Amino acid sequence: MKPYKPNLIFFLIFTLLLSLTTSCSFIPEKKLKTKDFTMMYKAKTAAGYEVANLKLRPVQLSEGQVRQQMRSIIYEEMNLFGKKKPVFSREETNRFARLIAKGLSHSTPNKVVFFQIENPEGTTAGIIFASHRRVNWKFTKIQGGVFSTRSFADWGGTRWRLVPGSSQRFYFVDKALGSVAQENWVTIPLPKNSEKQVQAYQEPEPKQSPRKQRRVQTKRSRKQASAPTTRTKPADT
């Protein structure tokens, strides 16, 4: 019987490792999909280095609070006749606010909530997450127009930017020449009492062991016993 050649063994090992890696890379994410709405969790590393470096956390927002934020987000087209418009229609806000609120509350520190809405005017897509006591809304598409940092849009395309409202602000990224506003990314303050109480984020105070507590109590009792007692001398009558 002829021994196996080293090249054949190496080929078999390489094929096995490749199959394992491929099977792991195609594990589907949890996804909610309807005819005109898609929502799923994505790794924050897939959202770019700006998001990957942030400390994220789940938050507990009500449907009404999410609806209010969705209604407040405005954008404008960067052309001669561009007007300010709401990113989400009233119908989209009423239909999807509950689902987005639920997605935020069940998120994890290494995930962002991706959403995509289809309507006759085009696709609106982006991610939502909470960081530094603010809700972050970052859009890649609005009404079919892909966000671009170019000074002009491609033929047939549309250039747009968000318009921060009251208490809203752009997210800034540090560049070589200073901080640059991300015009497709706005942050909104979290409402009071909206941060989810997650035990993983709360570091409990260090507790002393029972043995150490007994030592401390024993030392205190010895000090009290050794302390001199002062006696009052009766007054002469």
Side-chain angles (χ1 to χ4, degrees):
M1 183 176 179
K2 294 182 179 181
Y4 287 105
K5 295 181 180 181
N7 292 339
L8 180 60
I9 297 175
F10 175 78
F11 175 76
L12 292 174
I13 295 174
F14 176 77
T15 305
L16 178 61
L17 292 175
L18 182 62
S19 62
L20 290 174
T21 305
T22 305
S23 62
C24 292
S25 62
F26 284 99
I27 295 175
E29 293 275 3
K30 291 184 178 179
K31 180 187 295 187
L32 170 66
K33 186 174 179 60
T34 63
K35 182 180 178 181
D36 53 358
F37 180 73
T38 301
M39 186 178 72
M40 61 186 295
Y41 296 110
K42 288 191 174 184
K44 68 176 185 178
T45 53
Y49 73 92
E50 301 96 342
V51 179
N53 294 330
L54 296 177
K55 184 178 180 181
L56 312 187
R57 61 180 59 190
V59 288
Q60 192 75 43
L61 296 180
S62 66
E63 178 183 350
Q65 290 169 334
V66 174
R67 187 185 298 116
Q68 184 178 7
Q69 291 198 9
M70 293 176 70
R71 288 176 178 173
S72 68
I73 302 176
I74 306 296
Y75 81 104
E76 64 178 351
E77 296 178 352
M78 304 299 293
N79 55 42
L80 185 61
F81 303 101
K83 295 181 180 180
K84 296 179 181 179
K85 305 175 184 178
V87 172
F88 303 100
S89 67
R90 182 175 292 273
E91 180 185 359
E92 291 169 348
T93 301
N94 293 334
R95 289 181 58 196
F96 306 131
R98 179 180 62 85
L99 298 175
I100 292 175
K102 192 172 182 180
L104 283 171
S105 65
H106 288 85
S107 185
T108 59
N110 61 340
K111 300 285 186 180
V112 297
V113 180
F114 168 82
F115 69 92
Q116 182 171 295
I117 300 173
E118 303 287 349
N119 60 41
E121 297 184 8
T123 302
T124 297
I127 57 174
I128 317 167
F129 57 90
S131 177
H132 299 293
R133 299 184 182 274
R134 299 182 74 89
V135 180
N136 292 250
W137 295 78
K138 185 179 181 182
F139 296 86
T140 53
K141 284 185 180 181
I142 294 180
Q143 308 299 341
V146 180
F147 178 73
S148 175
T149 56
R150 298 177 182 177
S151 58
F152 60 91
D154 295 332
W155 179 259
T158 302
R159 185 172 179 268
W160 54 264
R161 69 176 181 183
L162 297 174
V163 181
S166 176
S167 74
Q168 299 179 4
R169 65 189 184 199
F170 285 129
Y171 184 84
F172 284 79
V173 174
D174 293 332
K175 300 288 185 179
L177 300 177
S179 298
V180 179
Q182 305 299 292
E183 296 182 329
N184 65 326
W185 184 349
V186 292
T187 67
I188 305 175
L190 280 170
K192 293 183 178 179
N193 302 324
S194 62
E195 292 193 39
K196 190 177 182 181
Q197 300 297 325
V198 183
Q199 188 175 4
Y201 300 128
Q202 297 178 354
E203 296 184 2
E205 295 182 0
K207 295 182 179 180
Q208 295 179 342
S209 62
R211 189 173 183 180
K212 193 171 183 180
Q213 286 180 351
R214 284 194 220 104
R215 289 179 180 177
V216 174
Q217 291 175 358
T218 305
K219 289 181 180 180
R220 288 178 181 174
S221 59
R222 288 177 180 174
K223 287 182 179 179
Q224 292 175 356
S226 61
T229 56
T230 56
R231 297 180 179 178
T232 56
K233 194 174 182 179
D236 295 333
T237 56

